[in-house]
Amino acid sequence: MPHPEPTRLTVPAAARLVGRIRVPGDKSISHRALMLSALAVGESRVKGLLEGEDVLATAAALRAMGARIERDAAGVWTINGVGVGGLLQPAAALDMGNSGTSTRLLMGLIASHPITATFTGDASLSARPMERVITPLSRMGADITASPGGRLPLMLRGLCPAVPIEYELPVASAQVKSAVLLAGLNTPGVTRVIEPVPTRDHSERMLAGFGAEVLVEETSRGRVISITGEAELRPQSITVPGDPSSAAFWMVAASIVPGSDVVIENVGLNPTRAGLVTALRMMGADITELDPRTVGGEPVADLRVRHAALQGITVPHDLAPAMIDEYPVLFVAAAFAAGRTVARGADELRVKESDRIAAMRAALEANGVSVTEHDDGLSIDGTGGDAIPGGGTVTTRLDHRIAMSMTVAALHARAAITLDDASPVQTSYPTFFDQLAQLSGEAA
Protein backbone atom coordinates (compact mmCIF):
# COMPACT_ATOMS: atom_id res chain seq x y z
CA MET A 1 0.00 0.00 0.00
CA PRO A 2 2.38 2.76 -1.20
CA HIS A 3 1.82 6.27 0.09
CA PRO A 4 0.27 8.54 -2.60
CA GLU A 5 2.23 11.36 -4.17
CA PRO A 6 2.39 14.44 -1.89
CA THR A 7 -0.43 16.91 -2.44
CA ARG A 8 0.53 20.49 -1.59
CA LEU A 9 -2.49 22.52 -0.50
CA THR A 10 -2.97 26.17 0.49
CA VAL A 11 -5.91 26.78 2.84
CA PRO A 12 -7.45 30.27 3.03
CA ALA A 13 -9.50 31.69 5.89
CA ALA A 14 -13.26 31.07 6.03
CA ALA A 15 -15.80 33.85 6.55
CA ARG A 16 -17.89 31.48 8.69
CA LEU A 17 -18.92 27.81 8.83
CA VAL A 18 -22.64 26.99 8.68
CA GLY A 19 -24.61 23.82 8.02
CA ARG A 20 -25.10 20.15 8.92
CA ILE A 21 -22.62 17.36 8.23
CA ARG A 22 -22.19 13.71 9.11
CA VAL A 23 -18.66 12.60 9.86
CA PRO A 24 -17.30 9.19 8.82
CA GLY A 25 -17.79 6.14 10.99
CA ASP A 26 -15.67 5.76 14.09
CA LYS A 27 -12.26 4.41 13.11
CA SER A 28 -11.69 2.42 16.31
CA ILE A 29 -15.10 0.75 16.09
CA SER A 30 -14.73 0.11 12.34
CA HIS A 31 -11.47 -1.82 12.83
CA ARG A 32 -12.95 -3.90 15.64
CA ALA A 33 -16.22 -4.57 13.79
CA LEU A 34 -14.31 -6.08 10.87
CA MET A 35 -12.01 -8.15 13.06
CA LEU A 36 -14.67 -9.65 15.31
CA SER A 37 -17.01 -10.25 12.37
CA ALA A 38 -14.17 -12.15 10.68
CA LEU A 39 -13.94 -14.42 13.75
CA ALA A 40 -17.68 -15.01 14.07
CA VAL A 41 -19.37 -18.03 12.51
CA GLY A 42 -21.84 -16.76 9.92
CA GLU A 43 -22.56 -13.43 8.22
CA SER A 44 -22.29 -10.06 9.95
CA ARG A 45 -23.47 -6.76 8.44
CA VAL A 46 -21.86 -3.40 9.15
CA LYS A 47 -23.34 -0.01 8.23
CA GLY A 48 -21.48 3.28 8.46
CA LEU A 49 -18.02 1.69 8.27
CA LEU A 50 -15.21 4.22 7.86
CA GLU A 51 -13.83 3.63 4.37
CA GLY A 52 -10.46 5.30 4.88
CA GLU A 53 -7.15 3.68 4.01
CA ASP A 54 -6.48 2.45 7.56
CA VAL A 55 -9.71 0.46 7.83
CA LEU A 56 -9.36 -0.85 4.28
CA ALA A 57 -5.93 -2.19 5.28
CA THR A 58 -7.62 -4.19 8.05
CA ALA A 59 -10.21 -5.53 5.60
CA ALA A 60 -7.51 -6.57 3.12
CA ALA A 61 -5.55 -8.41 5.81
CA LEU A 62 -8.62 -10.30 7.02
CA ARG A 63 -9.46 -11.31 3.45
CA ALA A 64 -5.91 -12.61 3.11
CA MET A 65 -6.58 -14.84 6.14
CA GLY A 66 -9.80 -16.36 4.87
CA ALA A 67 -12.68 -14.02 5.73
CA ARG A 68 -15.08 -13.10 2.92
CA ILE A 69 -15.67 -9.35 3.06
CA GLU A 70 -17.82 -7.48 0.54
CA ARG A 71 -19.40 -4.04 0.19
CA ASP A 72 -22.69 -3.45 -1.61
CA ALA A 73 -23.73 -0.39 -3.61
CA ALA A 74 -25.52 1.08 -0.59
CA GLY A 75 -22.31 1.03 1.46
CA VAL A 76 -23.31 -1.94 3.66
CA TRP A 77 -20.46 -4.36 4.37
CA THR A 78 -21.05 -8.09 4.79
CA ILE A 79 -18.45 -10.26 6.50
CA ASN A 80 -18.57 -14.06 6.50
CA GLY A 81 -16.28 -15.12 9.30
CA VAL A 82 -14.02 -18.12 9.73
CA GLY A 83 -14.66 -18.67 13.45
CA VAL A 84 -12.31 -18.17 16.39
CA GLY A 85 -9.17 -20.19 15.64
CA GLY A 86 -10.00 -20.37 11.94
CA LEU A 87 -7.68 -17.74 10.47
CA LEU A 88 -5.66 -19.10 7.54
CA GLN A 89 -2.02 -18.65 6.65
CA PRO A 90 -1.72 -15.49 4.48
CA ALA A 91 0.03 -16.05 1.17
CA ALA A 92 1.93 -12.76 1.27
CA ALA A 93 3.01 -10.06 3.70
CA LEU A 94 0.23 -8.02 5.31
CA ASP A 95 0.65 -4.40 4.20
CA MET A 96 -0.67 -2.15 6.98
CA GLY A 97 -0.06 1.13 5.15
CA ASN A 98 -0.10 3.83 7.85
CA SER A 99 -2.35 2.03 10.33
CA GLY A 100 -0.92 1.36 13.77
CA THR A 101 -4.33 0.15 14.98
CA SER A 102 -4.50 -2.48 12.23
CA THR A 103 -0.99 -3.66 13.01
CA ARG A 104 -1.25 -3.94 16.78
CA LEU A 105 -4.72 -5.47 16.90
CA LEU A 106 -4.05 -7.97 14.12
CA MET A 107 -0.83 -9.00 15.86
CA GLY A 108 -3.04 -9.86 18.83
CA LEU A 109 -5.46 -11.86 16.69
CA ILE A 110 -2.72 -13.85 14.98
CA ALA A 111 -0.68 -14.47 18.16
CA SER A 112 -2.95 -17.32 19.27
CA HIS A 113 -3.41 -18.89 15.80
CA PRO A 114 -1.02 -21.51 14.34
CA ILE A 115 0.02 -19.27 11.45
CA THR A 116 2.90 -16.99 10.52
CA ALA A 117 2.44 -13.47 9.20
CA THR A 118 4.80 -10.72 8.11
CA PHE A 119 3.68 -7.14 8.75
CA THR A 120 4.89 -4.25 6.61
CA GLY A 121 3.91 -0.59 6.42
CA ASP A 122 4.78 2.81 5.03
CA ALA A 123 7.69 4.96 6.26
CA SER A 124 5.64 6.57 9.02
CA LEU A 125 4.30 3.28 10.41
CA SER A 126 7.71 1.62 10.11
CA ALA A 127 9.14 4.27 12.43
CA ARG A 128 6.62 3.54 15.18
CA PRO A 129 7.58 1.21 18.06
CA MET A 130 5.77 -2.10 18.41
CA GLU A 131 7.63 -3.31 21.51
CA ARG A 132 4.70 -2.50 23.78
CA VAL A 133 2.64 -5.14 21.93
CA ILE A 134 5.51 -7.54 21.32
CA THR A 135 6.18 -7.88 25.07
CA PRO A 136 2.79 -9.26 26.22
CA LEU A 137 2.19 -11.32 23.06
CA SER A 138 5.60 -12.95 23.49
CA ARG A 139 4.63 -13.87 27.05
CA MET A 140 1.58 -15.62 25.58
CA GLY A 141 3.87 -17.70 23.38
CA ALA A 142 4.04 -15.82 20.08
CA ASP A 143 7.46 -15.79 18.40
CA ILE A 144 8.04 -12.28 17.03
CA THR A 145 11.07 -11.14 15.03
CA ALA A 146 11.04 -7.38 14.55
CA SER A 147 13.33 -4.89 12.85
CA PRO A 148 15.76 -2.95 15.08
CA GLY A 149 13.97 -0.92 17.73
CA GLY A 150 10.96 -3.25 17.74
CA ARG A 151 9.71 -1.82 14.47
CA LEU A 152 8.22 -2.99 11.17
CA PRO A 153 8.72 -5.00 9.12
CA LEU A 154 8.25 -7.85 11.57
CA MET A 155 7.33 -11.52 11.44
CA LEU A 156 4.96 -13.10 13.96
CA ARG A 157 4.60 -16.84 14.47
CA GLY A 158 1.49 -17.56 16.49
CA LEU A 159 1.17 -20.30 19.10
CA CYS A 160 -1.90 -22.50 19.47
CA PRO A 161 -2.76 -23.10 22.19
CA ALA A 162 -1.32 -19.87 23.54
CA VAL A 163 -0.70 -19.20 27.23
CA PRO A 164 -3.19 -17.06 29.18
CA ILE A 165 -1.53 -14.22 31.08
CA GLU A 166 -2.32 -11.41 33.50
CA TYR A 167 -0.80 -8.22 32.11
CA GLU A 168 -0.67 -4.79 33.71
CA LEU A 169 -0.35 -2.03 31.13
CA PRO A 170 2.83 0.00 31.72
CA VAL A 171 1.32 2.88 29.70
CA ALA A 172 -2.30 3.74 29.00
CA SER A 173 -2.94 2.17 25.59
CA ALA A 174 -6.24 0.85 24.24
CA GLN A 175 -4.32 -0.79 21.39
CA VAL A 176 -2.13 -2.87 23.69
CA LYS A 177 -5.11 -3.80 25.86
CA SER A 178 -7.08 -4.82 22.78
CA ALA A 179 -4.22 -6.85 21.32
CA VAL A 180 -3.96 -8.94 24.50
CA LEU A 181 -7.73 -9.43 24.72
CA LEU A 182 -7.93 -10.46 21.06
CA ALA A 183 -5.10 -12.95 21.60
CA GLY A 184 -7.04 -14.23 24.60
CA LEU A 185 -10.05 -15.04 22.40
CA ASN A 186 -8.38 -18.21 21.11
CA THR A 187 -6.41 -19.00 24.28
CA PRO A 188 -7.63 -21.62 26.80
CA GLY A 189 -8.44 -20.22 30.22
CA VAL A 190 -8.76 -16.61 31.34
CA THR A 191 -6.57 -13.78 30.05
CA ARG A 192 -6.56 -10.59 32.12
CA VAL A 193 -5.48 -7.02 31.41
CA ILE A 194 -5.07 -4.50 34.21
CA GLU A 195 -5.20 -0.85 33.23
CA PRO A 196 -4.33 1.60 36.03
CA VAL A 197 -5.70 4.44 33.85
CA PRO A 198 -8.91 3.69 31.90
CA THR A 199 -8.65 3.81 28.10
CA ARG A 200 -11.27 3.62 25.35
CA ASP A 201 -13.43 0.56 25.94
CA HIS A 202 -14.73 -0.28 22.46
CA SER A 203 -13.06 -3.70 22.50
CA GLU A 204 -14.71 -4.77 25.75
CA ARG A 205 -18.13 -3.56 24.60
CA MET A 206 -17.90 -5.20 21.20
CA LEU A 207 -16.41 -8.49 22.42
CA ALA A 208 -19.33 -8.83 24.82
CA GLY A 209 -21.76 -7.91 22.05
CA PHE A 210 -20.40 -10.72 19.85
CA GLY A 211 -20.87 -13.21 22.70
CA ALA A 212 -17.43 -13.46 24.30
CA GLU A 213 -17.31 -13.88 28.06
CA VAL A 214 -15.86 -10.57 29.23
CA LEU A 215 -15.74 -9.33 32.81
CA VAL A 216 -14.78 -5.75 33.76
CA GLU A 217 -14.01 -5.02 37.41
CA GLU A 218 -12.95 -1.84 39.20
CA THR A 219 -10.23 -2.68 41.73
CA SER A 220 -7.59 -0.92 43.79
CA ARG A 221 -5.12 -1.71 40.97
CA GLY A 222 -7.37 -0.16 38.33
CA ARG A 223 -9.75 -1.67 35.82
CA VAL A 224 -9.32 -5.42 35.35
CA ILE A 225 -10.67 -6.82 32.08
CA SER A 226 -10.89 -10.61 31.87
CA ILE A 227 -11.75 -12.67 28.80
CA THR A 228 -12.44 -16.40 28.76
CA GLY A 229 -10.83 -18.00 25.75
CA GLU A 230 -11.96 -20.42 23.07
CA ALA A 231 -15.06 -18.33 22.60
CA GLU A 232 -17.64 -18.82 19.88
CA LEU A 233 -18.60 -15.44 18.45
CA ARG A 234 -22.07 -14.83 17.02
CA PRO A 235 -22.50 -12.72 13.87
CA GLN A 236 -23.92 -9.24 14.42
CA SER A 237 -25.54 -6.31 12.63
CA ILE A 238 -23.60 -3.18 13.55
CA THR A 239 -24.22 0.50 12.87
CA VAL A 240 -20.98 2.41 13.39
CA PRO A 241 -21.46 5.81 15.07
CA GLY A 242 -19.67 8.89 13.76
CA ASP A 243 -16.05 9.19 14.81
CA PRO A 244 -15.58 11.69 17.66
CA SER A 245 -11.98 12.17 16.54
CA SER A 246 -13.25 13.34 13.14
CA ALA A 247 -16.00 15.46 14.70
CA ALA A 248 -13.29 17.15 16.80
CA PHE A 249 -12.05 19.19 13.84
CA TRP A 250 -15.48 20.73 13.27
CA MET A 251 -16.04 21.32 16.99
CA VAL A 252 -12.89 23.43 17.12
CA ALA A 253 -13.44 25.04 13.71
CA ALA A 254 -16.95 26.20 14.58
CA SER A 255 -15.73 27.43 17.97
CA ILE A 256 -12.96 29.65 16.57
CA VAL A 257 -14.42 31.03 13.31
CA PRO A 258 -16.73 33.99 14.05
CA GLY A 259 -20.34 33.57 12.96
CA SER A 260 -20.18 29.78 12.77
CA ASP A 261 -23.10 27.46 13.60
CA VAL A 262 -22.54 23.79 12.73
CA VAL A 263 -24.49 20.61 13.52
CA ILE A 264 -22.44 17.41 13.46
CA GLU A 265 -24.77 14.43 13.19
CA ASN A 266 -24.49 10.98 14.78
CA VAL A 267 -21.35 11.54 16.89
CA GLY A 268 -20.24 8.73 19.20
CA LEU A 269 -19.95 10.02 22.77
CA ASN A 270 -18.48 7.02 24.54
CA PRO A 271 -17.20 8.45 27.86
CA THR A 272 -13.74 7.01 27.19
CA ARG A 273 -13.58 9.11 23.98
CA ALA A 274 -15.32 12.36 24.97
CA GLY A 275 -12.44 14.16 26.67
CA LEU A 276 -12.25 16.89 24.02
CA VAL A 277 -15.89 17.85 24.56
CA THR A 278 -15.14 18.21 28.26
CA ALA A 279 -11.99 20.27 27.63
CA LEU A 280 -13.65 22.58 25.10
CA ARG A 281 -16.56 23.20 27.45
CA MET A 282 -14.05 24.07 30.18
CA MET A 283 -12.68 26.65 27.74
CA GLY A 284 -16.16 28.10 27.17
CA ALA A 285 -17.17 26.35 23.94
CA ASP A 286 -20.86 26.36 23.00
CA ILE A 287 -21.60 22.66 22.39
CA THR A 288 -25.16 21.33 22.69
CA GLU A 289 -26.09 17.67 22.51
CA LEU A 290 -29.22 17.09 20.40
CA ASP A 291 -31.26 13.87 20.38
CA PRO A 292 -28.99 11.80 22.68
CA ARG A 293 -29.50 8.08 22.04
CA THR A 294 -27.82 4.66 22.20
CA VAL A 295 -26.82 2.86 19.00
CA GLY A 296 -25.26 -0.60 19.20
CA GLY A 297 -24.38 -0.14 22.84
CA GLU A 298 -22.61 3.19 22.21
CA PRO A 299 -23.96 6.61 23.31
CA VAL A 300 -24.58 8.90 20.33
CA ALA A 301 -25.89 12.46 19.81
CA ASP A 302 -25.99 15.24 17.23
CA LEU A 303 -23.72 18.10 18.33
CA ARG A 304 -24.57 21.76 17.64
CA VAL A 305 -21.47 23.93 17.95
CA ARG A 306 -21.50 27.73 17.70
CA HIS A 307 -18.71 30.27 17.76
CA ALA A 308 -17.69 31.19 21.30
CA ALA A 309 -15.00 33.15 23.12
CA LEU A 310 -12.56 30.55 24.42
CA GLN A 311 -10.49 30.93 27.58
CA GLY A 312 -7.11 29.35 28.26
CA ILE A 313 -7.11 26.51 30.79
CA THR A 314 -4.84 23.95 32.36
CA VAL A 315 -6.09 20.69 30.89
CA PRO A 316 -6.54 18.03 33.61
CA HIS A 317 -4.07 15.19 33.10
CA ASP A 318 -6.78 12.58 33.67
CA LEU A 319 -8.53 13.70 30.48
CA ALA A 320 -5.59 12.61 28.34
CA PRO A 321 -6.61 8.97 27.68
CA ALA A 322 -10.11 10.10 26.62
CA MET A 323 -8.79 12.60 24.05
CA ILE A 324 -5.30 11.44 23.10
CA ASP A 325 -5.99 11.66 19.34
CA GLU A 326 -7.62 15.06 19.73
CA TYR A 327 -4.67 16.85 21.32
CA PRO A 328 -3.42 18.31 18.00
CA VAL A 329 -6.72 20.08 17.34
CA LEU A 330 -7.00 21.05 21.02
CA PHE A 331 -3.65 22.82 20.55
CA VAL A 332 -5.31 24.73 17.70
CA ALA A 333 -8.24 25.75 19.91
CA ALA A 334 -5.72 26.97 22.49
CA ALA A 335 -4.11 29.22 19.87
CA PHE A 336 -7.34 31.24 19.70
CA ALA A 337 -8.19 31.28 23.42
CA ALA A 338 -7.64 34.20 25.78
CA GLY A 339 -4.51 33.65 27.86
CA ARG A 340 -2.37 30.56 28.22
CA THR A 341 -3.47 26.96 27.82
CA VAL A 342 -1.31 24.24 29.34
CA ALA A 343 -2.05 20.86 27.76
CA ARG A 344 0.21 18.16 29.17
CA GLY A 345 0.00 14.55 30.36
CA ALA A 346 0.13 13.26 26.80
CA ASP A 347 3.49 11.48 26.44
CA GLU A 348 1.79 9.05 24.05
CA LEU A 349 1.73 11.77 21.38
CA ARG A 350 5.45 11.23 20.84
CA VAL A 351 4.85 7.81 19.24
CA LYS A 352 1.79 8.40 17.07
CA GLU A 353 1.89 8.66 13.25
CA SER A 354 4.41 11.41 13.94
CA ASP A 355 5.82 13.01 17.07
CA ARG A 356 2.66 15.10 17.38
CA ILE A 357 4.04 17.33 20.12
CA ALA A 358 7.05 18.41 18.05
CA ALA A 359 5.04 18.50 14.82
CA MET A 360 2.34 20.77 16.24
CA ARG A 361 4.85 23.06 17.95
CA ALA A 362 6.66 23.55 14.63
CA ALA A 363 3.41 24.01 12.70
CA LEU A 364 1.95 26.57 15.10
CA GLU A 365 5.20 28.51 15.44
CA ALA A 366 5.54 28.66 11.66
CA ASN A 367 2.20 30.47 11.66
CA GLY A 368 2.90 33.02 14.37
CA VAL A 369 1.63 31.24 17.51
CA SER A 370 3.63 31.44 20.75
CA VAL A 371 4.30 27.87 21.93
CA THR A 372 6.39 26.21 24.65
CA GLU A 373 7.17 22.52 24.17
CA HIS A 374 7.22 20.12 27.12
CA ASP A 375 8.12 16.45 27.15
CA ASP A 376 4.41 15.57 27.47
CA GLY A 377 2.56 18.39 25.73
CA LEU A 378 2.50 22.10 24.91
CA SER A 379 1.77 25.43 26.55
CA ILE A 380 0.18 27.86 24.10
CA ASP A 381 -0.47 31.60 24.38
CA GLY A 382 -3.71 32.37 22.56
CA THR A 383 -4.92 35.39 20.58
CA GLY A 384 -8.08 35.98 22.60
CA GLY A 385 -10.19 35.19 19.55
CA ASP A 386 -8.27 37.23 16.96
CA ALA A 387 -6.95 35.60 13.80
CA ILE A 388 -3.47 34.10 14.04
CA PRO A 389 -0.84 35.55 11.63
CA GLY A 390 -0.69 32.43 9.41
CA GLY A 391 1.28 32.51 6.16
CA GLY A 392 3.53 29.56 7.02
CA THR A 393 4.06 26.14 5.51
CA VAL A 394 3.22 23.09 7.62
CA THR A 395 5.22 19.87 7.43
CA THR A 396 2.49 17.29 7.97
CA ARG A 397 4.93 14.36 8.43
CA LEU A 398 2.59 11.79 6.82
CA ASP A 399 0.17 12.46 9.71
CA HIS A 400 -3.50 12.96 8.93
CA ARG A 401 -4.26 14.69 12.23
CA ILE A 402 -1.50 17.27 11.76
CA ALA A 403 -2.88 18.04 8.28
CA MET A 404 -6.49 18.43 9.44
CA SER A 405 -5.64 20.31 12.63
CA MET A 406 -3.64 22.93 10.77
CA THR A 407 -6.38 23.19 8.15
CA VAL A 408 -8.66 24.20 11.02
CA ALA A 409 -6.09 26.76 12.19
CA ALA A 410 -6.00 28.25 8.68
CA LEU A 411 -9.73 28.99 8.80
CA HIS A 412 -9.09 31.97 11.11
CA ALA A 413 -5.66 33.17 9.97
CA ARG A 414 -4.72 36.53 8.46
CA ALA A 415 -2.70 34.83 5.71
CA ALA A 416 -3.34 31.46 4.09
CA ILE A 417 -1.55 28.42 5.50
CA THR A 418 0.06 25.84 3.21
CA LEU A 419 0.20 22.10 3.91
CA ASP A 420 3.23 20.45 2.32
CA ASP A 421 1.16 17.27 1.91
CA ALA A 422 -2.60 16.94 2.40
CA SER A 423 -2.81 13.36 1.12
CA PRO A 424 -2.54 11.67 4.56
CA VAL A 425 -6.10 12.85 5.25
CA GLN A 426 -7.24 9.94 3.08
CA THR A 427 -6.23 7.49 5.82
CA SER A 428 -9.09 8.49 8.11
CA TYR A 429 -11.35 11.14 6.53
CA PRO A 430 -11.59 11.01 2.72
CA THR A 431 -14.46 13.57 2.58
CA PHE A 432 -12.85 16.13 4.92
CA PHE A 433 -12.08 18.81 2.34
CA ASP A 434 -15.44 18.33 0.57
CA GLN A 435 -17.25 18.92 3.85
CA LEU A 436 -15.10 21.96 4.57
CA ALA A 437 -16.16 23.40 1.22
CA GLN A 438 -19.79 22.65 2.06
CA LEU A 439 -19.68 24.37 5.46
CA SER A 440 -17.81 27.39 4.16
CA GLY A 441 -20.26 27.84 1.28
CA GLU A 442 -17.70 27.01 -1.37
CA ALA A 443 -19.07 23.66 -2.52
CA ALA A 444 -19.72 23.36 -6.24
Side-chain angles (χ1 to χ4, degrees), residues 153-194:
L154 66 77
M155 183 168 66
L156 187 155
R157 300 176 185 86
L159 177 67
C160 185
V163 180
I165 62 171
E166 178 177 285
Y167 187 69
E168 182 168 343
L169 297 178
V171 295
S173 172
Q175 291 182 1
V176 177
K177 171 180 68 176
S178 299
V180 176
L181 294 175
L182 290 172
L185 261 181
N186 195 42
T187 299
V190 177
T191 298
R192 292 186 177 86
V193 178
I194 302 166

Side-chain angles (χ1 to χ4, degrees), residues 11-12 14 17 21 250 253 407 411 431-443:
V11 183
L17 302 174
I21 57 168
W250 307 121
T407 296
L411 301 179
T431 59
F432 175 77
F433 290 108
D434 292 336
Q435 291 189 329
L436 172 57
Q438 174 190 335
L439 293 175
S440 60
E442 297 176 1

Side-chain angles (χ1 to χ4, degrees), residues 23-24 242-252 264 267 276 303 305 429:
V23 298
D243 195 326
S245 296
S246 296
F249 302 108
W250 307 121
M251 286 188 247
V252 172
I264 314 161
V267 180
L276 181 70
L303 299 180
V305 188
Y429 201 160

Side-chain angles (χ1 to χ4, degrees), residues 330-351:
L330 174 69
F331 296 150
V332 171
F336 296 91
R340 171 168 284 199
T341 295
V342 180
R344 301 187 63 174
D347 319 61
E348 185 74 4
L349 295 179
R350 295 285 189 187
V351 292

Side-chain angles (χ1 to χ4, degrees), residues 74-117:
V76 177
W77 291 68
T78 57
I79 303 97
N80 284 273
V82 297
V84 172
L87 294 178
L88 304 178
Q89 174 71 43
L94 302 178
D95 186 349
M96 299 289 93
N98 189 239
S99 182
T101 303
S102 302
T103 305
R104 294 184 177 115
L105 270 59
L106 286 169
M107 285 174 65
L109 274 188
I110 293 170
S112 55
H113 282 73
I115 61 178
T116 298

Side-chain angles (χ1 to χ4, degrees), residues 117-142:
T118 298
F119 290 83
T120 63
D122 68 10
S124 169
L125 181 60
S126 298
R128 296 170 66 183
M130 296 295 156
E131 197 63 51
R132 61 183 55 183
V133 180
I134 292 172
T135 297
L137 296 182
S138 297
R139 282 182 52 189
M140 297 182 76

Side-chain angles (χ1 to χ4, degrees), residues 14-365:
R16 61 176 186 157
L17 302 174
V18 177
R20 300 178 69 93
I21 57 168
R22 180 171 289 238
V23 298
D26 184 286
K27 186 149 74 87
S28 297
I29 294 175
S30 293
H31 282 299
R32 289 160 174 80
L34 287 174
M35 291 183 194
L36 295 186
S37 295
L39 293 181
V41 177
E43 181 176 282
S44 295
R45 293 169 57 84
V46 182
K47 297 180 181 178
L49 190 85
L50 170 62
E51 297 181 4
E53 292 172 352
D54 284 9
V55 174
L56 297 181
T58 290
L62 294 169
R63 286 191 187 103
M65 292 185 287
R68 195 165 78 247
I69 303 176
E70 298 172 343
R71 178 192 187 279
D72 69 18
V76 177
W77 291 68
T78 57
I79 303 97
N80 284 273
V82 297
V84 172
L87 294 178
L88 304 178
Q89 174 71 43
L94 302 178
D95 186 349
M96 299 289 93
N98 189 239
S99 182
T101 303
S102 302
T103 305
R104 294 184 177 115
L105 270 59
L106 286 169
M107 285 174 65
L109 274 188
I110 293 170
S112 55
H113 282 73
I115 61 178
T116 298
T118 298
F119 290 83
T120 63
D122 68 10
S124 169
L125 181 60
S126 298
R128 296 170 66 183
M130 296 295 156
E131 197 63 51
R132 61 183 55 183
V133 180
I134 292 172
T135 297
L137 296 182
S138 297
R139 282 182 52 189
M140 297 182 76
D143 180 8
I144 303 171
T145 304
S147 297
R151 291 173 164 81
L152 267 55
L154 66 77
M155 183 168 66
L156 187 155
R157 300 176 185 86
L159 177 67
C160 185
V163 180
I165 62 171
E166 178 177 285
Y167 187 69
E168 182 168 343
L169 297 178
V171 295
S173 172
Q175 291 182 1
V176 177
K177 171 180 68 176
S178 299
V180 176
L181 294 175
L182 290 172
L185 261 181
N186 195 42
T187 299
V190 177
T191 298
R192 292 186 177 86
V193 178
I194 302 166
E195 50 176 12
V197 179
T199 64
R200 59 184 65 178
D201 65 355
H202 301 304
S203 292
E204 300 95 297
R205 289 174 183 252
M206 194 172 290
L207 281 163
F210 271 83
E213 188 177 330
V214 178
L215 177 63
V216 180
E217 302 171 283
E218 300 291 343
T219 75
S220 59
R221 299 173 66 187
R223 292 177 77 232
V224 178
I225 306 101
S226 304
I227 185 165
T228 301
E230 300 179 303
E232 182 169 327
L233 302 186
R234 300 183 296 269
Q236 301 293 309
S237 291
I238 298 169
T239 299
V240 179
D243 195 326
S245 296
S246 296
F249 302 108
W250 307 121
M251 286 188 247
V252 172
S255 295
I256 67 174
V257 177
S260 294
D261 187 347
V262 173
V263 175
I264 314 161
E265 298 176 350
N266 193 48
V267 180
L269 292 178
N270 183 306
T272 63
R273 297 286 301 284
L276 181 70
V277 175
T278 300
L280 289 176
R281 284 175 169 159
M282 290 174 65
M283 298 174 76
D286 182 353
I287 302 173
T288 304
E289 295 176 25
L290 308 176
D291 188 23
R293 54 205 185 269
T294 300
V295 177
E298 296 276 349
V300 171
D302 302 335
L303 299 180
R304 184 182 185 188
V305 188
R306 289 173 280 193
H307 173 253
L310 301 182
Q311 300 293 319
I313 63 169
T314 296
V315 180
H317 282 211
D318 60 5
L319 278 183
M323 56 182 286
I324 196 67
D325 285 334
E326 290 74 67
Y327 264 86
V329 80
L330 174 69
F331 296 150
V332 171
F336 296 91
R340 171 168 284 199
T341 295
V342 180
R344 301 187 63 174
D347 319 61
E348 185 74 4
L349 295 179
R350 295 285 189 187
V351 292
K352 290 289 188 178
E353 281 83 337
S354 67
D355 178 342
R356 287 178 173 165
I357 294 173
M360 285 302 297
R361 176 194 57 75
L364 290 168
E365 286 184 339

